[in-house]
Amino acid sequence: MKSYSHLYERVISRENRLEAVRLAKHSPRIRKAIKESGKTDEEIAEEAYEWIVNFKNAHHKPIKIKDGMSKKERTIIVPTLEELIVQHALINVLKPIFTRSMYEHSYASLPGKGAHAGKKVIERWIRNDGRNCKYCLKMDIRHFFDSVPHDILKERIVKTFHDEKILRMMLELVDVTETGLPLGFYTSQWFSNWYLTPLDHYIKQSLKAEHYMRYMDDMVIFGSNKKKLHRMRKDIQEYLEKNLGLTLKDNWQVFRFSYIRGGREHGRDLDYMGFRFHRNRTTLRRSIMLKASRKAKKIAKKEKPSLYEIRQMLSYLGWIDATDTYRFYEAHIKPYVNFQKCKRRLSIAARRENRNGVETCRVQTVT
């Protein structure tokens, strides 16, 4: 395993601190906090030097939220402005190290990846290699974020990173919770993906999985032999327990994937990453379609929907555009939402926000 040192100087550099502030401002909460502080990005970056040098986790009270389109209840920890900027400064430097070893078909929370990129790969597999996509193994890890063992993760961190100050920051971030990794921390998505990288290489190199994809802790393996997939599942379970201190959920499935015979579809489609994959088409998960149609009707009743609602609706449109659901769009979305008008409003709002930011900087510079 390659180890890395002399990273801390890059983390505390002025250029990196400014970039960390810029990235942290992608969060509306952080943008608002910085605006209310009356300080420029440069002034925040100067203060960030002390935040990094003296980094210590703040005291947090976990909160429960309804997450994403699934509205699944999750417990998260919201980082402070200072913590989020420190996390971005750290990950800016560690990102190339983390990604260098990562499996190419890991798609959650990584730059240039995501559900839509993963969708295109799965479509290519099932439509161009039917022989090796005859059966499907679908599984995920039980309470993944809450279950990552600190001792195993810390041991791997210590073996990989030899810069004492970087180590102190990383181990401090692991210890923000007594067990597992905190949902809500920017570092958690990177630590978790990196933590599962050995599993990815075990599945591809040792188990010789032909087509394997991971979306955080949700995994899919396609194969030509049902018995072989069952054996893989057992080997993966053993590997997880022995090497990573994790376990698979009991709801794993091995099934005959969708195929066309006599003009009719047989087998089962794959429900994954919000999509439903069939042999010859891809649709949206039904729950997402229902939420999109309800949101469209809600917007139609308002004279002036909020920018948040408009962003939500445009997000749904992105999902619809990526799938074979145009008839659904025509019947349940198009009659209720004027997307050109929505996009114009967002564009005007973005220009206004940028203009206000520039004016604030000018006033502070003159002062």
Side-chain angles (χ1 to χ4, degrees):
M1 180 184 292
K2 185 174 181 179
S3 63
Y4 297 87
S5 55
H6 307 297
L7 301 171
Y8 188 71
E9 292 80 4
R10 289 160 57 191
V11 172
I12 62 173
S13 70
R14 182 177 180 278
E15 182 182 57
N16 186 52
R17 284 182 278 123
L18 274 170
E19 178 66 4
V21 173
R22 185 187 70 80
L23 292 171
K25 286 176 69 177
H26 288 172
S27 163
R29 177 177 65 89
I30 299 300
R31 285 202 303 273
K32 181 180 178 183
I34 291 177
K35 184 176 180 181
E36 289 177 349
S37 74
K39 296 175 181 176
T40 65
D41 289 1
E42 288 77 8
E43 288 171 330
I44 295 291
E46 284 302 313
E47 293 184 13
Y49 178 85
E50 294 296 329
W51 302 341
I52 296 171
V53 171
N54 302 307
F55 179 68
K56 198 83 175 166
N57 289 319
H59 177 72
H60 298 94
K61 184 178 180 180
I63 62 173
K64 294 188 181 296
I65 63 164
K66 299 289 186 180
D67 184 36
M69 293 184 179
S70 67
K71 296 301 179 185
K72 184 176 180 180
E73 187 175 274
R74 299 186 188 276
T75 300
I76 70 167
I77 293 178
V78 180
T80 64
L81 179 149
E82 293 86 351
E83 285 177 314
L84 186 57
I85 290 174
V86 170
Q87 289 172 36
H88 275 289
L90 179 65
I91 295 300
N92 285 349
V93 174
L94 301 188
K95 193 181 299 182
I97 299 169
F98 283 150
T99 55
R100 188 172 294 128
S101 62
M102 282 184 186
Y103 173 54
E104 63 175 322
H105 293 307
S106 172
Y107 283 91
S109 304
L110 293 172
K113 298 295 184 73
H116 291 274
K119 165 191 166 287
K120 292 177 182 177
V121 172
I122 288 183
E123 287 175 336
R124 187 170 72 244
W125 289 347
I126 63 180
R127 291 168 194 177
N128 296 340
D129 190 11
R131 180 178 175 276
N132 287 308
C133 293
K134 186 175 181 180
Y135 296 99
C136 182
L137 165 60
K138 185 173 183 283
M139 57 196 162
D140 62 320
I141 297 171
R142 185 174 182 272
H143 300 313
F144 172 53
F145 275 93
D146 295 334
S147 301
V148 173
H150 284 192
D151 56 342
I152 301 177
L153 175 57
K154 285 181 176 181
E155 182 182 357
R156 189 165 168 216
I157 289 172
V158 170
K159 283 182 179 178
T160 307
F161 300 94
H162 291 174
D163 187 312
E164 289 298 325
K165 293 179 180 178
I166 290 289
L167 274 176
R168 181 186 64 79
M169 293 177 69
M170 294 180 75
L171 298 180
E172 177 76 11
L173 285 161
V174 171
D175 283 336
V176 71
T177 52
E178 291 185 8
T179 59
L181 293 169
L183 278 172
F185 269 42
Y186 179 61
T187 45
S188 293
Q189 66 195 50
W190 286 93
F191 286 169
S192 56
N193 265 315
W194 183 65
Y195 189 71
L196 289 180
T197 295
L199 172 67
D200 296 332
H201 294 302
Y202 172 72
I203 291 172
K204 279 299 291 183
Q205 295 164 15
S206 298
L207 300 185
K208 308 294 183 185
E210 188 67 32
H211 297 304
Y212 160 61
M213 180 176 290
R214 179 169 63 79
Y215 190 81
M216 197 50 77
D217 62 315
D218 292 330
M219 297 167 279
V220 165
I221 301 176
F222 288 100
S224 59
N225 187 290
K226 195 172 185 178
K227 290 182 179 179
K228 184 178 178 182
L229 289 179
H230 277 289
R231 288 196 299 270
M232 279 188 183
R233 196 274 308 169
K234 291 179 181 178
D235 290 338
I236 290 167
Q237 175 69 70
E238 290 177 6
Y239 183 92
L240 279 169
E241 292 176 355
K242 181 180 178 181
N243 296 282
L244 299 176
L246 301 169
T247 185
L248 288 178
K249 280 186 186 176
D250 293 333
N251 64 349
W252 57 268
Q253 304 167 20
V254 175
F255 56 90
R256 179 71 159 93
F257 181 61
S258 165
Y259 64 100
I260 308 299
R261 179 179 293 169
R264 296 181 58 189
E265 184 176 12
H266 301 271
R268 283 176 49 190
D269 62 284
L270 169 65
D271 186 340
Y272 190 54
M273 301 185 299
F275 301 104
R276 297 191 73 98
F277 295 93
H278 301 255
R279 183 67 66 176
N280 59 354
R281 69 191 189 283
T282 304
T283 60
L284 275 178
R285 186 178 290 160
R286 181 174 173 78
S287 61
I288 295 177
M289 290 195 286
L290 287 173
K291 285 166 187 167
S293 64
R294 288 172 188 155
K295 179 61 66 175
K297 290 172 184 175
K298 185 177 179 181
I299 285 176
K301 293 177 183 177
K302 294 188 174 184
E303 184 176 337
K304 191 174 182 181
S306 69
L307 292 176
Y308 176 72
E309 289 173 318
I310 289 174
R311 289 189 181 98
Q312 279 186 313
M313 200 64 246
L314 289 172
S315 177
Y316 282 124
L317 179 63
W319 284 78
I320 292 166
D321 280 346
T323 56
D324 302 305
T325 48
Y326 187 74
R327 282 190 296 178
F328 165 79
Y329 165 75
E330 281 197 313
H332 300 285
I333 305 293
K334 190 176 180 181
Y336 302 100
V337 181
N338 184 329
F339 282 102
Q340 286 187 335
K341 189 175 180 180
C342 287
K343 290 175 181 177
R344 277 200 302 272
R345 272 200 63 196
L346 278 185
S347 179
I348 291 169
R351 288 200 299 271
R352 185 182 298 122
E353 184 176 300
N354 290 336
R355 187 164 58 248
N356 289 343
V358 170
E359 291 301 322
T360 300
C361 289
R362 285 176 179 167
V363 168
Q364 290 170 342
T365 300
V366 170
T367 304

